[in-house]
Amino acid sequence: MRKSSSLANMWPFKNKGAGDDEDAPEEAAGADKNDPSSASKSDPAKIVLARVGFLLENEADVLPAYHVFNSNSECIAVWCKTGRWSSLQSDVFWHTTAIGNAKSTTLMGLSLAATQPWLIPALPVAAVAAIGTPYLVLHQSKKKCEEATKQLTDGFWAQASNEVYVEAVE
């Protein structure tokens, strides 16, 4: 019988233990700790588990209502691991939508300018709407995520045990 290679042997990070910070990948270069969508290390396991317990005990009272862009299962997982309520998936969606709209608007503008020059004055309005709307939605989503982070974090630390405080200080 052929021996299969272990996935653990292919993993580029050392597997030291669940609570070790050294087994996590290093922070992304240039990551901003104040930006909720930037890559960051996980908090210590004791704090993560305390956050999970807090959500399980108080889910009806503290969790924001579900929203596909700014309050979903990814937000819960990220908050438990890092203390930040955010969704990288929605951030990427809105950024790529804006970029795609910019490309489409440019192509459409060039085509219309060549075939219907009388429409040229309307092109900037269409471009601002097509490119600006996704960024406006992204900005509003980030504001809601910041509010949820503050609400959840305040509630969590108000009921956290002494052991969790000690772990946070260490």
Side-chain angles (χ1 to χ4, degrees):
M1 187 173 208
R2 186 178 165 185
K3 195 175 184 182
S4 64
S5 65
S6 170
L7 185 60
N9 293 335
M10 296 186 296
W11 185 247
F13 307 107
K14 295 176 185 172
N15 188 9
K16 295 198 178 206
D20 294 342
D21 285 339
E22 296 164 358
D23 64 342
E26 291 298 314
E27 286 189 88
D32 180 7
K33 288 199 175 255
N34 295 324
D35 181 9
S37 63
S38 67
S40 63
K41 288 184 180 180
S42 172
D43 288 337
K46 193 175 275 188
I47 294 175
V48 172
L49 292 174
R51 284 190 187 121
V52 171
F54 170 73
L55 290 180
L56 290 174
E57 291 171 8
N58 304 296
E59 74 179 282
D61 300 328
V62 298
L63 279 179
Y66 175 81
H67 188 275
V68 70
F69 293 120
N70 55 34
S71 185
N72 56 42
S73 58
E74 180 192 10
C75 296
I76 293 170
V78 170
W79 183 78
C80 288
K81 291 288 280 180
T82 66
R84 295 183 187 107
W85 190 265
S86 68
S87 174
L88 184 60
Q89 292 171 352
S90 72
D91 290 353
V92 168
F93 171 78
W94 289 117
H95 280 291
T96 56
T97 299
I99 291 168
N101 287 356
K103 289 178 181 179
S104 298
T105 302
T106 302
L107 185 59
M108 179 186 69
L110 293 173
S111 300
L112 280 176
T115 59
Q116 306 291 330
W118 59 275
L119 287 175
I120 291 175
L123 293 178
V125 174
V128 167
I131 299 166
T133 300
Y135 280 116
L136 178 64
V137 173
L138 176 64
H139 177 70
Q140 291 173 338
S141 178
K142 284 190 178 277
K143 279 177 52 177
K144 288 180 182 177
C145 287
E146 288 170 8
E147 292 168 6
T149 297
K150 182 169 177 19
Q151 176 190 353
L152 286 166
T153 302
D154 290 348
F156 170 72
W157 287 112
Q159 65 82 42
S161 68
N162 291 339
E163 290 124 15
V164 175
Y165 277 105
V166 169
E167 185 68 28
V169 171
E170 291 177 353

